[in-house]
Amino acid sequence: MTQSEITSSEIKNIKILYLYGVSLLMLFCVISIIVNIKILITTFWIKCPLSPTLYISLSLTGADAFSSFFLGIELLLNSFIPIGLGIELKGSFVVGWMPAVITFVLVCDDCILQLNRVSARVIFFIHVINNGLIILKTLVNPIIYAAQMDEIKVN
């Protein structure tokens, strides 16, 4: 079946499937993040020393929360918004500059919202992640723009 053979009812069915299916998957990601973070928080109440097996289990719990977070973000940006809602995201602003702008608004000295009580280490890691995302954006931009150009597309 080619692109021109897809009917409008099939497109409507695909959008409905993406709208509800991806919403359900994102809900599962949020539930996974909440459960994993609760498990990680409960380690503060353990009185005895942690065994190596428990350390490995907790690191896997943290990795699962981390991957669930980014899977949820990826589902939101790559499936739910462009296909389910029909909003086309052009370029890599969402990956590169949007987190940096949000961080600047939250961490700057003269802003309304300030995260003064957060440790310098946390703010440092947030800035490192933002810089990494901006570098990733600059590396991915040529690929994104080349894919959008009709002269470069190969059929």
Side-chain angles (χ1 to χ4, degrees), residues 106-107 114-126:
L106 292 177
V107 180
Q114 294 181 2
L115 294 177
N116 292 336
R117 298 188 179 165
V118 177
S119 70
R121 182 177 290 171
V122 172
I123 293 175
F124 171 76
F125 284 120
I126 289 173

Side-chain angles (χ1 to χ4, degrees), residues 18-34:
Y18 268 87
L19 193 62
Y20 293 112
V22 174
S23 298
L24 186 65
L25 290 174
M26 288 189 311
L27 176 68
F28 289 146
C29 287
V30 169
I31 291 170
S32 172
I33 292 168
I34 291 170

Side-chain angles (χ1 to χ4, degrees), residues 33-119:
I33 292 168
I34 291 170
V35 169
N36 286 318
I37 288 176
K38 281 188 175 188
I39 291 171
L40 289 173
I41 289 173
T42 58
T43 59
F44 292 116
W45 291 288
I46 297 175
K47 301 291 182 191
C48 61
L50 299 176
S51 68
T53 306
L54 190 55
Y55 273 120
I56 292 171
S57 299
L58 291 174
S59 70
L60 289 173
T61 303
D64 187 39
F66 182 78
S67 64
S68 294
F69 173 74
F70 282 106
L71 178 64
I73 295 294
E74 191 171 326
L75 284 169
L76 176 72
L77 297 178
N78 294 333
S79 296
F80 186 75
I81 291 175
I83 298 172
L85 298 178
I87 300 170
E88 191 171 331
L89 299 174
K90 294 253 184 200
S92 57
F93 171 79
V94 174
V95 173
W97 289 109
M98 189 176 71
V101 169
I102 290 171
T103 302
F104 176 75
V105 168
L106 292 177
V107 180
C108 69
D109 294 332
D110 299 332
C111 294
I112 296 171
L113 299 172
Q114 294 181 2
L115 294 177
N116 292 336
R117 298 188 179 165
V118 177
S119 70

Side-chain angles (χ1 to χ4, degrees), residues 10 15 17 21-22 30 43 46 52 69 71 99 128 133 136 149:
E10 290 173 338
K15 284 188 176 189
L17 177 69
V22 174
V30 169
T43 59
I46 297 175
F69 173 74
L71 178 64
V128 167
L133 289 173
L136 176 69
M149 296 174 70

